[in-house]
Amino acid sequence: CYVPLDPGGPRARLSAIAADAGVSLVIGDAAVAEFGAVAGIDVPPPAAPGHCPATPDTTAHVLYTSGSTGRPKGVLTSHRNIVAFVTGFATRLGVGPGTRTLGISSLGFDAFTMDVFVPLSVGGSVQLAGTADRADPERLRRFIVEHDVDWGFITPTLLSLVDPADVPGWRTVACGGEPVPAELVARWLPGRRFFHVYGPTETTVVVVTDEVTGVPADPLPLGTPTPEHRAHVVDDDLRPVPPGEVGELLIGGPGLAAGYLGSPELTARKFVEDPFTPGSRLYRTGDLARLRSDGRLEFAGRADRQVKIRGQRIELGEVEAALGAHPDVGAVAVEAVPGPGGTRLVAFLSPASAPSDADIHAYAGERLTEAMRPAVLRRLDVLPVNPVTGKIDRPALRALAGDEPGEDLGGSPVAEVWRKVLGPGAGPDFLLAGGDSITAMRLVAALRADLAADVSVEDVFTGRTLDELTRRVAAAAPLTGPGLTTGHAPALSPPQRRLWFL
């Protein structure tokens, strides 16, 4: 089996995952640079493929998701799980010979299985977008058009950066990973098939889908289970709740993973005996849902502190544990709050003399993925405590998160766009203001739309500050659209040149 990791990702986190998985062999473009000096890990040169001894129940891959204890957890997915997903999903969403899918998901994101294995298993093809095409909304649009993409999965955050009128050949859209606004669906729906898709990594990518028809309205239904899968909405005692009432969503079927690598107790808590189908198991998703009168499921929140940031599952406890390990941080609490571009994380640190934003960002960069890093850091003498429970007063923290002090950045057109994208309290440093790759794409798209400046994501990251970006906008040529090399297969992006651990 393989374990995908991000070359150039948080080094401490990569090392922890490699150790947890018992990695002994590394294959990939970045293998030598990342793990060539690690004792006990072999980095062989390229070689011809050998015989594959896998059986249906052999583990195909171990995908690591965020863990509430502060350590990522590895999900054991078998070949049988993947085949069940691929065949059922292709049938449900109409993927077949000649389908040209969009490949933009990371190998470490379970949607990669959808991007690649689904079309290839039925005679289709996958168009792998390179780094520059993924990082720039205009280049992404041109890539979709030039490579005749007609089917693709994408998160709503990325989909919102593309104008449906500019990609008329994209006829089937699968969207999920985080809440999908009805307004976004309404923009894309005319003349297309639009599927809302849902599924945790533990149930192999997607297990519930809904084809949106008519006039979409919030909240969008999750839909119904894919072939051979079943869903139950239950109370705390795993008894079914009446239709319309909220309960925990449990999933059963051939997509259920074996469990978590090296974590039998967690596996036993999350993968439970199925009281409705003797001899089978159910996965406790931790998602709250209700069964609608039309038989479709509807998402109703979380039963724990797990959140979705740009389609990635984040356990707030893991973020708190990583930041709390800093020797100069006394206590830490992290809350997920609405932001200009979707949900973002705000970290509250004590004491008030806790390290600077730059120090915390540098420390977090070694331990947390981009999506897990807080966009805003706030310092308090002490964290507020609920006088009744004696626990951290999280509602009070969320109220403080919405009361973010602003900074005078001036009234230039670039500053106006900066505040619109990063938020009214954003400072003059892009990274310290919570900027990331998706935010950079949104900033570039807004600068192009509002100021007709031909700037790029590289300008944002290289310039980094508002003053430097303002200079680059002033020096930029009038917007004509970046070029795209065609006539050969696109180069794989670093997230696609993943490390494969055997």
Side-chain angles (χ1 to χ4, degrees):
C1 71
Y2 67 89
V3 179
L5 295 176
D6 245 332
R11 184 168 292 276
R13 195 170 194 268
L14 293 181
S15 299
I17 289 175
D20 184 74
V23 168
S24 60
L25 183 69
V26 181
I27 302 171
D29 291 353
V32 174
E34 295 283 356
F35 288 96
V38 177
I41 295 182
D42 184 26
V43 183
H51 170 70
C52 178
T55 68
D57 293 316
T58 300
T59 300
H61 58 223
V62 183
L63 298 183
Y64 276 79
T65 67
S66 184
S68 59
T69 63
R71 295 178 53 215
K73 53 184 184 286
V75 179
L76 298 164
T77 305
S78 71
H79 290 267
R80 187 187 303 276
N81 296 151
I82 294 176
V83 170
F85 160 69
V86 166
T87 54
F89 189 78
T91 300
R92 175 70 69 93
L93 271 75
V95 184
T99 299
R100 299 177 62 84
T101 70
L102 175 63
I104 59 173
S105 298
S106 153
L107 243 176
F109 185 26
D110 61 359
F112 175 84
T113 304
M114 186 191 320
D115 287 355
V116 176
F117 297 153
V118 169
L120 295 185
S121 71
V122 294
S125 62
V126 56
Q127 324 311 308
L128 293 171
T131 304
D133 299 319
R134 292 180 50 180
D136 185 301
E138 171 61 15
R139 289 189 64 95
L140 178 59
R141 179 198 69 79
R142 290 176 60 84
F143 180 89
I144 292 169
V145 172
E146 294 288 344
H147 291 271
D148 297 322
V149 169
D150 58 19
W151 192 104
F153 168 80
I154 191 168
T155 63
T157 298
L158 281 178
L159 187 64
S160 66
L161 299 176
V162 182
D163 187 336
D166 292 339
V167 287
W170 189 356
R171 310 308 299 171
T172 302
V173 178
C175 191
E178 54 190 342
V180 181
E183 177 275 330
L184 179 65
V185 181
R187 285 176 49 209
W188 280 84
L189 195 55
R192 291 180 173 86
R193 300 183 73 189
F194 194 107
F195 289 87
H196 188 199
V197 300
Y198 162 89
T201 300
E202 288 86 346
T203 61
T204 312
V205 196
V206 169
V207 288
V208 178
T209 68
D210 187 61
E211 182 169 6
V212 183
T213 58
V215 179
D218 292 318
L220 288 181
L222 295 179
T224 56
T226 52
E228 299 186 48
H229 288 85
R230 54 197 182 276
H232 303 279
V233 181
V234 302
D235 61 17
D236 293 340
D237 297 318
L238 304 188
R239 296 174 302 193
V241 301
E245 292 191 13
V246 173
E248 183 181 1
L249 178 60
L250 274 58
I251 299 292
L256 259 66
Y260 300 106
L261 177 65
S263 301
E265 293 183 359
L266 179 60
T267 297
R269 287 200 306 271
K270 298 293 287 184
F271 294 84
V272 299
E273 183 178 348
D274 185 347
F276 313 105
T277 308
S280 298
R281 299 180 305 149
L282 293 172
Y283 171 66
R284 303 190 65 166
T285 67
D287 286 332
L288 299 177
R290 63 173 58 88
L291 185 63
R292 294 163 40 124
S293 59
D294 60 9
R296 294 182 293 176
L297 294 163
E298 182 180 287
F299 181 72
R302 285 289 301 178
D304 54 22
R305 299 187 64 230
Q306 184 185 107
V307 299
K308 282 286 189 80
I309 306 290
R310 303 199 306 275
Q312 299 183 39
R313 284 166 49 180
I314 307 296
E315 291 281 2
L316 298 182
E318 181 175 355
V319 182
E320 291 173 343
L323 299 182
H326 193 292
D328 296 324
V329 172
V332 58
V334 177
E335 291 297 320
V337 300
T343 302
R344 64 176 181 170
L345 302 184
V346 178
F348 297 88
L349 312 176
S350 72
S353 59
S356 68
D357 285 13
D359 288 342
I360 292 295
H361 278 285
Y363 185 80
E366 288 290 306
R367 294 160 176 80
L368 299 173
T369 64
E370 183 181 76
M372 298 170 73
R373 298 169 199 163
V376 178
L377 298 171
R378 302 284 296 274
R379 293 162 188 79
L380 304 171
D381 289 327
V382 294
L383 300 183
V385 174
N386 184 304
V388 176
T389 65
K391 299 179 180 180
I392 292 175
D393 191 340
R394 294 191 178 275
L397 290 178
R398 287 192 286 273
L400 285 173
D403 186 26
E404 189 177 342
E407 187 167 342
D408 185 9
L409 301 179
S412 72
V414 177
E416 291 297 325
V417 174
W418 184 276
R419 280 189 288 265
K420 179 173 70 173
V421 173
L422 289 166
D429 185 299
F430 178 76
L431 295 181
L432 298 186
D436 52 39
S437 59
I438 299 296
T439 309
M441 292 178 69
R442 294 179 56 244
L443 185 57
V444 166
L447 289 169
R448 286 176 169 165
D450 294 357
L451 306 181
D454 191 3
V455 292
S456 66
V457 168
E458 289 76 11
D459 288 317
V460 175
F461 283 111
T462 303
R464 182 165 168 172
T465 66
L466 174 60
D467 286 345
E468 180 58 30
L469 183 60
T470 300
R471 284 190 285 271
R472 289 171 179 258
V473 169
L479 183 62
T480 58
L484 177 69
T485 301
T486 59
H488 57 80
L492 297 183
S493 67
Q496 291 163 340
R497 295 196 297 269
R498 279 301 194 271
L499 304 182
W500 291 57
F501 297 82
L502 306 180

PDB file of all heavy atoms in Angstrom, residues 377-408:
ATOM      1  N   LEU A 377      -4.458  35.531  14.864  1.00  0.00           N
ATOM      2  CA  LEU A 377      -3.936  35.225  16.187  1.00  0.00           C
ATOM      3  C   LEU A 377      -4.310  36.360  17.130  1.00  0.00           C
ATOM      4  O   LEU A 377      -4.060  37.534  16.831  1.00  0.00           O
ATOM      5  CB  LEU A 377      -2.409  35.062  16.146  1.00  0.00           C
ATOM      6  CG  LEU A 377      -1.865  33.928  15.268  1.00  0.00           C
ATOM      7  CD1 LEU A 377      -0.350  34.026  15.150  1.00  0.00           C
ATOM      8  CD2 LEU A 377      -2.250  32.579  15.838  1.00  0.00           C
ATOM      9  N   ARG A 378      -4.916  36.022  18.246  1.00  0.00           N
ATOM     10  CA  ARG A 378      -5.278  37.014  19.261  1.00  0.00           C
ATOM     11  C   ARG A 378      -4.633  36.609  20.585  1.00  0.00           C
ATOM     12  O   ARG A 378      -4.590  35.424  20.926  1.00  0.00           O
ATOM     13  CB  ARG A 378      -6.808  37.088  19.429  1.00  0.00           C
ATOM     14  CG  ARG A 378      -7.578  37.424  18.157  1.00  0.00           C
ATOM     15  CD  ARG A 378      -7.475  38.898  17.784  1.00  0.00           C
ATOM     16  NE  ARG A 378      -8.094  39.744  18.798  1.00  0.00           N
ATOM     17  CZ  ARG A 378      -9.394  40.052  18.815  1.00  0.00           C
ATOM     18  NH1 ARG A 378     -10.205  39.552  17.885  1.00  0.00           N
ATOM     19  NH2 ARG A 378      -9.896  40.835  19.740  1.00  0.00           N
ATOM     20  N   ARG A 379      -4.165  37.588  21.347  1.00  0.00           N
ATOM     21  CA  ARG A 379      -3.496  37.318  22.624  1.00  0.00           C
ATOM     22  C   ARG A 379      -4.303  37.903  23.772  1.00  0.00           C
ATOM     23  O   ARG A 379      -4.773  39.036  23.688  1.00  0.00           O
ATOM     24  CB  ARG A 379      -2.078  37.891  22.604  1.00  0.00           C
ATOM     25  CG  ARG A 379      -1.181  37.165  21.614  1.00  0.00           C
ATOM     26  CD  ARG A 379       0.068  37.954  21.258  1.00  0.00           C
ATOM     27  NE  ARG A 379       0.779  37.289  20.167  1.00  0.00           N
ATOM     28  CZ  ARG A 379       0.415  37.379  18.890  1.00  0.00           C
ATOM     29  NH1 ARG A 379      -0.616  38.132  18.530  1.00  0.00           N
ATOM     30  NH2 ARG A 379       1.089  36.725  17.966  1.00  0.00           N
ATOM     31  N   LEU A 380      -4.449  37.106  24.835  1.00  0.00           N
ATOM     32  CA  LEU A 380      -5.203  37.514  26.012  1.00  0.00           C
ATOM     33  C   LEU A 380      -4.376  37.222  27.255  1.00  0.00           C
ATOM     34  O   LEU A 380      -3.544  36.299  27.259  1.00  0.00           O
ATOM     35  CB  LEU A 380      -6.529  36.753  26.098  1.00  0.00           C
ATOM     36  CG  LEU A 380      -7.478  36.852  24.877  1.00  0.00           C
ATOM     37  CD1 LEU A 380      -8.628  35.864  25.056  1.00  0.00           C
ATOM     38  CD2 LEU A 380      -8.007  38.266  24.723  1.00  0.00           C
ATOM     39  N   ASP A 381      -4.619  37.997  28.322  1.00  0.00           N
ATOM     40  CA  ASP A 381      -3.936  37.698  29.583  1.00  0.00           C
ATOM     41  C   ASP A 381      -4.280  36.283  30.040  1.00  0.00           C
ATOM     42  O   ASP A 381      -3.405  35.506  30.418  1.00  0.00           O
ATOM     43  CB  ASP A 381      -4.348  38.713  30.659  1.00  0.00           C
ATOM     44  CG  ASP A 381      -3.755  40.092  30.397  1.00  0.00           C
ATOM     45  OD1 ASP A 381      -2.632  40.154  29.854  1.00  0.00           O
ATOM     46  OD2 ASP A 381      -4.414  41.086  30.711  1.00  0.00           O
ATOM     47  N   VAL A 382      -5.573  35.978  30.010  1.00  0.00           N
ATOM     48  CA  VAL A 382      -6.047  34.628  30.320  1.00  0.00           C
ATOM     49  C   VAL A 382      -7.226  34.338  29.406  1.00  0.00           C
ATOM     50  O   VAL A 382      -7.922  35.251  28.951  1.00  0.00           O
ATOM     51  CB  VAL A 382      -6.492  34.477  31.795  1.00  0.00           C
ATOM     52  CG1 VAL A 382      -5.314  34.627  32.735  1.00  0.00           C
ATOM     53  CG2 VAL A 382      -7.593  35.473  32.131  1.00  0.00           C
ATOM     54  N   LEU A 383      -7.466  33.077  29.114  1.00  0.00           N
ATOM     55  CA  LEU A 383      -8.625  32.701  28.318  1.00  0.00           C
ATOM     56  C   LEU A 383      -9.874  32.764  29.190  1.00  0.00           C
ATOM     57  O   LEU A 383      -9.844  32.389  30.368  1.00  0.00           O
ATOM     58  CB  LEU A 383      -8.447  31.287  27.753  1.00  0.00           C
ATOM     59  CG  LEU A 383      -7.240  31.051  26.838  1.00  0.00           C
ATOM     60  CD1 LEU A 383      -7.259  29.626  26.309  1.00  0.00           C
ATOM     61  CD2 LEU A 383      -7.207  32.045  25.695  1.00  0.00           C
ATOM     62  N   PRO A 384     -11.000  33.244  28.640  1.00  0.00           N
ATOM     63  CA  PRO A 384     -12.226  33.338  29.445  1.00  0.00           C
ATOM     64  C   PRO A 384     -12.722  31.960  29.862  1.00  0.00           C
ATOM     65  O   PRO A 384     -12.610  30.983  29.117  1.00  0.00           O
ATOM     66  CB  PRO A 384     -13.208  34.032  28.503  1.00  0.00           C
ATOM     67  CG  PRO A 384     -12.698  33.732  27.133  1.00  0.00           C
ATOM     68  CD  PRO A 384     -11.208  33.683  27.251  1.00  0.00           C
ATOM     69  N   VAL A 385     -13.281  31.891  31.075  1.00  0.00           N
ATOM     70  CA  VAL A 385     -13.764  30.628  31.628  1.00  0.00           C
ATOM     71  C   VAL A 385     -15.243  30.766  31.982  1.00  0.00           C
ATOM     72  O   VAL A 385     -15.664  31.776  32.560  1.00  0.00           O
ATOM     73  CB  VAL A 385     -12.961  30.233  32.886  1.00  0.00           C
ATOM     74  CG1 VAL A 385     -13.556  28.986  33.537  1.00  0.00           C
ATOM     75  CG2 VAL A 385     -11.501  29.996  32.522  1.00  0.00           C
ATOM     76  N   ASN A 386     -16.027  29.753  31.630  1.00  0.00           N
ATOM     77  CA  ASN A 386     -17.437  29.726  32.006  1.00  0.00           C
ATOM     78  C   ASN A 386     -17.532  29.463  33.509  1.00  0.00           C
ATOM     79  O   ASN A 386     -17.044  28.434  33.998  1.00  0.00           O
ATOM     80  CB  ASN A 386     -18.155  28.621  31.222  1.00  0.00           C
ATOM     81  CG  ASN A 386     -19.641  28.592  31.479  1.00  0.00           C
ATOM     82  OD1 ASN A 386     -20.083  28.486  32.606  1.00  0.00           O
ATOM     83  ND2 ASN A 386     -20.418  28.658  30.406  1.00  0.00           N
ATOM     84  N   PRO A 387     -18.152  30.366  34.275  1.00  0.00           N
ATOM     85  CA  PRO A 387     -18.180  30.198  35.733  1.00  0.00           C
ATOM     86  C   PRO A 387     -18.977  28.989  36.201  1.00  0.00           C
ATOM     87  O   PRO A 387     -18.786  28.519  37.325  1.00  0.00           O
ATOM     88  CB  PRO A 387     -18.824  31.507  36.216  1.00  0.00           C
ATOM     89  CG  PRO A 387     -19.624  31.994  35.060  1.00  0.00           C
ATOM     90  CD  PRO A 387     -18.858  31.584  33.845  1.00  0.00           C
ATOM     91  N   VAL A 388     -19.870  28.475  35.379  1.00  0.00           N
ATOM     92  CA  VAL A 388     -20.694  27.332  35.769  1.00  0.00           C
ATOM     93  C   VAL A 388     -19.951  26.023  35.536  1.00  0.00           C
ATOM     94  O   VAL A 388     -19.885  25.155  36.410  1.00  0.00           O
ATOM     95  CB  VAL A 388     -22.034  27.339  35.004  1.00  0.00           C
ATOM     96  CG1 VAL A 388     -22.840  26.087  35.336  1.00  0.00           C
ATOM     97  CG2 VAL A 388     -22.818  28.595  35.339  1.00  0.00           C
ATOM     98  N   THR A 389     -19.377  25.874  34.335  1.00  0.00           N
ATOM     99  CA  THR A 389     -18.735  24.610  33.984  1.00  0.00           C
ATOM    100  C   THR A 389     -17.254  24.584  34.332  1.00  0.00           C
ATOM    101  O   THR A 389     -16.661  23.505  34.443  1.00  0.00           O
ATOM    102  CB  THR A 389     -18.883  24.342  32.474  1.00  0.00           C
ATOM    103  OG1 THR A 389     -18.160  25.359  31.747  1.00  0.00           O
ATOM    104  CG2 THR A 389     -20.347  24.369  32.065  1.00  0.00           C
ATOM    105  N   GLY A 390     -16.643  25.760  34.468  1.00  0.00           N
ATOM    106  CA  GLY A 390     -15.210  25.811  34.708  1.00  0.00           C
ATOM    107  C   GLY A 390     -14.380  25.539  33.477  1.00  0.00           C
ATOM    108  O   GLY A 390     -13.155  25.411  33.552  1.00  0.00           O
ATOM    109  N   LYS A 391     -15.028  25.448  32.320  1.00  0.00           N
ATOM    110  CA  LYS A 391     -14.330  25.202  31.066  1.00  0.00           C
ATOM    111  C   LYS A 391     -14.141  26.506  30.301  1.00  0.00           C
ATOM    112  O   LYS A 391     -14.738  27.536  30.635  1.00  0.00           O
ATOM    113  CB  LYS A 391     -15.114  24.204  30.207  1.00  0.00           C
ATOM    114  CG  LYS A 391     -15.288  22.838  30.854  1.00  0.00           C
ATOM    115  CD  LYS A 391     -16.096  21.907  29.950  1.00  0.00           C
ATOM    116  CE  LYS A 391     -16.270  20.540  30.589  1.00  0.00           C
ATOM    117  NZ  LYS A 391     -17.057  19.610  29.719  1.00  0.00           N
ATOM    118  N   ILE A 392     -13.315  26.461  29.264  1.00  0.00           N
ATOM    119  CA  ILE A 392     -13.110  27.637  28.419  1.00  0.00           C
ATOM    120  C   ILE A 392     -14.448  28.094  27.859  1.00  0.00           C
ATOM    121  O   ILE A 392     -15.249  27.286  27.383  1.00  0.00           O
ATOM    122  CB  ILE A 392     -12.122  27.324  27.281  1.00  0.00           C
ATOM    123  CG1 ILE A 392     -10.716  27.084  27.846  1.00  0.00           C
ATOM    124  CG2 ILE A 392     -12.085  28.461  26.268  1.00  0.00           C
ATOM    125  CD1 ILE A 392      -9.698  26.656  26.800  1.00  0.00           C
ATOM    126  N   ASP A 393     -14.692  29.387  27.938  1.00  0.00           N
ATOM    127  CA  ASP A 393     -15.952  29.961  27.450  1.00  0.00           C
ATOM    128  C   ASP A 393     -15.823  30.197  25.942  1.00  0.00           C
ATOM    129  O   ASP A 393     -15.442  31.269  25.487  1.00  0.00           O
ATOM    130  CB  ASP A 393     -16.233  31.276  28.176  1.00  0.00           C
ATOM    131  CG  ASP A 393     -17.645  31.793  27.915  1.00  0.00           C
ATOM    132  OD1 ASP A 393     -18.254  31.361  26.919  1.00  0.00           O
ATOM    133  OD2 ASP A 393     -18.125  32.630  28.690  1.00  0.00           O
ATOM    134  N   ARG A 394     -16.174  29.199  25.183  1.00  0.00           N
ATOM    135  CA  ARG A 394     -15.978  29.282  23.733  1.00  0.00           C
ATOM    136  C   ARG A 394     -16.938  30.260  23.056  1.00  0.00           C
ATOM    137  O   ARG A 394     -16.551  30.933  22.095  1.00  0.00           O
ATOM    138  CB  ARG A 394     -16.046  27.889  23.110  1.00  0.00           C
ATOM    139  CG  ARG A 394     -14.867  27.013  23.588  1.00  0.00           C
ATOM    140  CD  ARG A 394     -14.712  25.728  22.817  1.00  0.00           C
ATOM    141  NE  ARG A 394     -13.548  24.989  23.309  1.00  0.00           N
ATOM    142  CZ  ARG A 394     -12.299  25.188  22.899  1.00  0.00           C
ATOM    143  NH1 ARG A 394     -12.054  26.081  21.968  1.00  0.00           N
ATOM    144  NH2 ARG A 394     -11.296  24.491  23.401  1.00  0.00           N
ATOM    145  N   PRO A 395     -18.193  30.367  23.494  1.00  0.00           N
ATOM    146  CA  PRO A 395     -19.036  31.419  22.907  1.00  0.00           C
ATOM    147  C   PRO A 395     -18.442  32.810  23.088  1.00  0.00           C
ATOM    148  O   PRO A 395     -18.539  33.659  22.187  1.00  0.00           O
ATOM    149  CB  PRO A 395     -20.358  31.260  23.668  1.00  0.00           C
ATOM    150  CG  PRO A 395     -20.397  29.824  24.050  1.00  0.00           C
ATOM    151  CD  PRO A 395     -18.969  29.478  24.382  1.00  0.00           C
ATOM    152  N   ALA A 396     -17.807  33.057  24.228  1.00  0.00           N
ATOM    153  CA  ALA A 396     -17.168  34.356  24.443  1.00  0.00           C
ATOM    154  C   ALA A 396     -16.000  34.549  23.484  1.00  0.00           C
ATOM    155  O   ALA A 396     -15.778  35.658  22.962  1.00  0.00           O
ATOM    156  CB  ALA A 396     -16.686  34.465  25.892  1.00  0.00           C
ATOM    157  N   LEU A 397     -15.262  33.486  23.224  1.00  0.00           N
ATOM    158  CA  LEU A 397     -14.150  33.582  22.276  1.00  0.00           C
ATOM    159  C   LEU A 397     -14.657  33.857  20.869  1.00  0.00           C
ATOM    160  O   LEU A 397     -14.073  34.657  20.133  1.00  0.00           O
ATOM    161  CB  LEU A 397     -13.322  32.298  22.298  1.00  0.00           C
ATOM    162  CG  LEU A 397     -12.483  32.044  23.554  1.00  0.00           C
ATOM    163  CD1 LEU A 397     -11.762  30.715  23.441  1.00  0.00           C
ATOM    164  CD2 LEU A 397     -11.475  33.174  23.766  1.00  0.00           C
ATOM    165  N   ARG A 398     -15.747  33.191  20.480  1.00  0.00           N
ATOM    166  CA  ARG A 398     -16.287  33.431  19.136  1.00  0.00           C
ATOM    167  C   ARG A 398     -16.775  34.868  18.995  1.00  0.00           C
ATOM    168  O   ARG A 398     -16.673  35.466  17.924  1.00  0.00           O
ATOM    169  CB  ARG A 398     -17.402  32.432  18.840  1.00  0.00           C
ATOM    170  CG  ARG A 398     -16.891  31.015  18.580  1.00  0.00           C
ATOM    171  CD  ARG A 398     -17.978  30.119  18.018  1.00  0.00           C
ATOM    172  NE  ARG A 398     -18.938  29.745  19.038  1.00  0.00           N
ATOM    173  CZ  ARG A 398     -18.816  28.697  19.850  1.00  0.00           C
ATOM    174  NH1 ARG A 398     -17.750  27.931  19.771  1.00  0.00           N
ATOM    175  NH2 ARG A 398     -19.754  28.413  20.737  1.00  0.00           N
ATOM    176  N   ALA A 399     -17.310  35.431  20.090  1.00  0.00           N
ATOM    177  CA  ALA A 399     -17.717  36.841  20.051  1.00  0.00           C
ATOM    178  C   ALA A 399     -16.507  37.748  19.890  1.00  0.00           C
ATOM    179  O   ALA A 399     -16.541  38.735  19.146  1.00  0.00           O
ATOM    180  CB  ALA A 399     -18.476  37.191  21.327  1.00  0.00           C
ATOM    181  N   LEU A 400     -15.404  37.410  20.570  1.00  0.00           N
ATOM    182  CA  LEU A 400     -14.176  38.191  20.433  1.00  0.00           C
ATOM    183  C   LEU A 400     -13.626  38.076  19.009  1.00  0.00           C
ATOM    184  O   LEU A 400     -13.070  39.026  18.476  1.00  0.00           O
ATOM    185  CB  LEU A 400     -13.119  37.707  21.431  1.00  0.00           C
ATOM    186  CG  LEU A 400     -13.325  38.099  22.897  1.00  0.00           C
ATOM    187  CD1 LEU A 400     -12.281  37.405  23.766  1.00  0.00           C
ATOM    188  CD2 LEU A 400     -13.232  39.610  23.051  1.00  0.00           C
ATOM    189  N   ALA A 401     -13.772  36.889  18.406  1.00  0.00           N
ATOM    190  CA  ALA A 401     -13.261  36.693  17.047  1.00  0.00           C
ATOM    191  C   ALA A 401     -13.955  37.607  16.060  1.00  0.00           C
ATOM    192  O   ALA A 401     -13.353  38.065  15.081  1.00  0.00           O
ATOM    193  CB  ALA A 401     -13.436  35.236  16.622  1.00  0.00           C
ATOM    194  N   GLY A 402     -15.237  37.902  16.320  1.00  0.00           N
ATOM    195  CA  GLY A 402     -15.965  38.799  15.427  1.00  0.00           C
ATOM    196  C   GLY A 402     -15.687  40.258  15.688  1.00  0.00           C
ATOM    197  O   GLY A 402     -16.059  41.126  14.894  1.00  0.00           O
ATOM    198  N   ASP A 403     -14.986  40.543  16.797  1.00  0.00           N
ATOM    199  CA  ASP A 403     -14.664  41.929  17.155  1.00  0.00           C
ATOM    200  C   ASP A 403     -13.190  42.192  16.874  1.00  0.00           C
ATOM    201  O   ASP A 403     -12.418  42.564  17.746  1.00  0.00           O
ATOM    202  CB  ASP A 403     -14.978  42.158  18.635  1.00  0.00           C
ATOM    203  CG  ASP A 403     -14.798  43.620  19.028  1.00  0.00           C
ATOM    204  OD1 ASP A 403     -14.928  44.474  18.150  1.00  0.00           O
ATOM    205  OD2 ASP A 403     -14.503  43.872  20.218  1.00  0.00           O
ATOM    206  N   GLU A 404     -12.812  41.945  15.634  1.00  0.00           N
ATOM    207  CA  GLU A 404     -11.405  42.047  15.238  1.00  0.00           C
ATOM    208  C   GLU A 404     -11.002  43.496  15.008  1.00  0.00           C
ATOM    209  O   GLU A 404     -11.631  44.200  14.216  1.00  0.00           O
ATOM    210  CB  GLU A 404     -11.190  41.236  13.952  1.00  0.00           C
ATOM    211  CG  GLU A 404      -9.742  41.073  13.557  1.00  0.00           C
ATOM    212  CD  GLU A 404      -9.621  40.204  12.313  1.00  0.00           C
ATOM    213  OE1 GLU A 404     -10.579  39.481  11.993  1.00  0.00           O
ATOM    214  OE2 GLU A 404      -8.564  40.268  11.666  1.00  0.00           O
ATOM    215  N   PRO A 405      -9.976  43.984  15.704  1.00  0.00           N
ATOM    216  CA  PRO A 405      -9.559  45.377  15.515  1.00  0.00           C
ATOM    217  C   PRO A 405      -9.011  45.605  14.120  1.00  0.00           C
ATOM    218  O   PRO A 405      -8.281  44.782  13.577  1.00  0.00           O
ATOM    219  CB  PRO A 405      -8.475  45.562  16.578  1.00  0.00           C
ATOM    220  CG  PRO A 405      -7.944  44.189  16.834  1.00  0.00           C
ATOM    221  CD  PRO A 405      -9.116  43.265  16.659  1.00  0.00           C
ATOM    222  N   GLY A 406      -9.386  46.723  13.524  1.00  0.00           N
ATOM    223  CA  GLY A 406      -8.912  47.040  12.182  1.00  0.00           C
ATOM    224  C   GLY A 406      -7.588  47.771  12.201  1.00  0.00           C
ATOM    225  O   GLY A 406      -7.110  48.232  13.234  1.00  0.00           O
ATOM    226  N   GLU A 407      -6.968  47.867  11.048  1.00  0.00           N
ATOM    227  CA  GLU A 407      -5.705  48.574  10.895  1.00  0.00           C
ATOM    228  C   GLU A 407      -5.841  49.530   9.726  1.00  0.00           C
ATOM    229  O   GLU A 407      -6.419  49.174   8.696  1.00  0.00           O
ATOM    230  CB  GLU A 407      -4.561  47.577  10.659  1.00  0.00           C
ATOM    231  CG  GLU A 407      -3.186  48.223  10.655  1.00  0.00           C
ATOM    232  CD  GLU A 407      -2.074  47.186  10.737  1.00  0.00           C
ATOM    233  OE1 GLU A 407      -2.347  46.033  11.122  1.00  0.00           O
ATOM    234  OE2 GLU A 407      -0.922  47.534  10.406  1.00  0.00           O
ATOM    235  N   ASP A 408      -5.314  50.741   9.883  1.00  0.00           N
ATOM    236  CA  ASP A 408      -5.433  51.751   8.843  1.00  0.00           C
ATOM    237  C   ASP A 408      -4.466  51.434   7.708  1.00  0.00           C
ATOM    238  O   ASP A 408      -3.253  51.586   7.850  1.00  0.00           O
ATOM    239  CB  ASP A 408      -5.137  53.139   9.427  1.00  0.00           C
ATOM    240  CG  ASP A 408      -5.372  54.246   8.394  1.00  0.00           C
ATOM    241  OD1 ASP A 408      -5.916  53.929   7.309  1.00  0.00           O
ATOM    242  OD2 ASP A 408      -5.007  55.399   8.672  1.00  0.00           O
TER     243      ASP A 408
END
